[in-house]
Amino acid sequence: MSDGTISLIVASVGVLGTLLSAVITQVLAQRAEAHRSTREELARSAEQRASEDQRKIDQLRNCYAQLNANDRQYRDAMLAYAYALKSGSTDTEAAEEVSSARRAQRDTRAEAQLVASDAVLEIESRVNAQLTTAYRRLMQAAAEADSSARQAKLQRVIALLNTITEQQGHVRALMRLEVRATQALPDWYNPEIGPTAHLHDGV
């Protein structure tokens, strides 16, 4: 083989090596760019999911805060009116407070039915059932003409309203878990606690 041929082969190998090196470099760069783009897309997706998740949690927190507050206000307003009637007062302001609290609670429940979890709605519906029963009995007591009969009915209303506090505590416990205010339900939590006994006793 002549020197010219050898030189040509060496030169060709050098050129091919240079070209191959450029191709390999470009392929590696493209892969690195693809990996970077994938990582960035995954990061953006994760951020979007986290943002949407936080938005839902905030919406749920606001809803639950209103529902909890209005359930409590409704109960407290009825209790105040019951005690006013029991003392012989004809305070119309207390009666109006009950009506106002009832409307606010009803409106909040309507919103909650669109965003609250099934678990919260189920246990809160038991609270609402007790509140509804208490309201009906309170109105019956308020319309009772006989003083002794009115006192007996009011006492039953007050007893029922006092039992609602425990159930409301269970609702709040579940709400707190769902909005991530706590990591676990308390030991005393019992989702089966309900108004059955109170719904079926005498008026």
Side-chain angles (χ1 to χ4, degrees), residues 30-46:
Q30 289 175 341
R31 286 184 178 177
E33 178 63 21
H35 289 158
R36 185 185 64 80
S37 297
T38 299
R39 287 194 302 271
E40 290 180 352
E41 181 61 30
L42 290 173
R44 281 194 297 270
S45 296

Side-chain angles (χ1 to χ4, degrees), residues 5 9 14 24 34 38 40 49-50 53 63 70 73 83 85 93 108 112 132 136 146 149 160 177 182 186 198 202:
T5 301
I9 292 173
I24 291 173
T38 299
E40 290 180 352
R49 287 194 300 272
D53 186 48
C63 172
N70 286 335
Q73 183 177 359
Y83 275 115
L85 290 173
E93 184 177 340
T108 305
T132 299
R136 185 182 72 247
D146 183 76
L160 174 55
L177 180 67
T182 184
H198 304 289

Side-chain angles (χ1 to χ4, degrees), residues 92-150:
T92 57
E93 184 177 340
E96 290 173 358
E97 179 63 26
V98 170
S99 296
S100 177
R102 184 168 182 255
R103 286 192 299 271
Q105 190 258 5
R106 183 178 55 201
D107 291 344
T108 305
R109 289 196 83 245
E111 178 184 355
Q113 287 169 349
L114 299 178
V115 298
S117 71
D118 291 342
V120 166
L121 288 178
E122 180 180 354
I123 191 171
E124 194 279 335
S125 69
R126 299 171 189 166
V127 169
N128 185 64
Q130 286 179 303
L131 291 170
T132 299
T133 299
Y135 177 78
R136 185 182 72 247
R137 293 179 181 178
L138 181 59
M139 295 302 101
Q140 290 172 347
E144 178 61 62
D146 183 76
S147 178
S148 61
R150 170 185 282 197

Side-chain angles (χ1 to χ4, degrees), residues 170 172-177 182-189 191:
H170 287 75
R172 281 194 301 274
L174 186 55
M175 288 177 172
R176 282 172 52 80
L177 180 67
T182 184
Q183 298 299 314
L185 289 167
D187 293 338
W188 49 260
Y189 177 80

